[in-house]
Amino acid sequence: MRKTELSNDDLVDAVSEMARGLIDADLGGGVVKKRIALPGRGKRGGTRTLVGTNKGNRWFFMYGFEKNQISNVGSKELESLQKFAHDLLTLSNNELESAIDDGAIQELNDDKTS
């Protein structure tokens, strides 16, 4: 699969939209699908992301794909992503900070609010 570069701002904007309820599909188990536009292609021709979330203060981009590469993930993949979302969403604040410090998780920076 081709690597698509989404900027920090693209991802921060997507989180802002999701926090306002603009989610493309709730796949259950703490996983939602969110379309993100690519330059010149819009959201319909853009990237699909699968996000682990509590729909509050935690949004983890777990997987991304272009619609022209695959239409959707299969049931086994979704089940694995739901388990992964559960693991991420149950991390304590200290565990999350440690994972960020170790580089296991990358934190987005919302420079617009600084």
Side-chain angles (χ1 to χ4, degrees):
M1 182 163 91
R2 180 176 66 135
K3 183 176 181 180
T4 301
E5 293 295 327
L6 292 172
S7 71
N8 182 82
D9 286 345
D10 293 332
L11 299 174
V12 167
D13 289 347
V15 169
S16 177
E17 288 179 6
M18 289 185 288
R20 294 190 321 266
L22 300 174
I23 292 169
D24 295 304
D26 188 332
L27 304 177
V31 178
V32 297
K33 180 167 78 171
K34 177 67 178 163
R35 293 181 184 103
I36 301 177
L38 292 174
R41 291 173 41 190
K43 287 186 179 183
R44 289 188 121 184
T47 298
R48 275 77 173 131
T49 59
L50 300 182
V51 180
T53 182
N54 63 3
K55 296 183 183 172
N57 64 344
R58 293 204 176 176
W59 304 87
F60 296 96
F61 288 92
M62 301 183 300
Y63 185 65
F65 57 96
E66 290 187 43
K67 183 180 176 182
N68 64 357
Q69 298 293 320
I70 61 172
S71 60
N72 263 319
V73 295
S75 59
K76 288 190 181 279
E77 291 90 352
L78 178 57
E79 185 178 322
S80 294
L81 287 165
Q82 289 168 332
K83 288 178 183 175
F84 185 38
H86 177 267
D87 291 345
L88 291 169
L89 293 168
T90 57
L91 290 173
S92 69
N93 287 337
N94 287 339
E95 291 169 322
L96 183 56
E97 287 178 29
S98 179
I100 291 168
D101 289 344
D102 292 344
I105 294 175
Q106 183 178 355
E107 185 173 24
L108 297 175
N109 295 308
D110 185 0
D111 296 331
K112 296 174 187 173
T113 61
S114 299

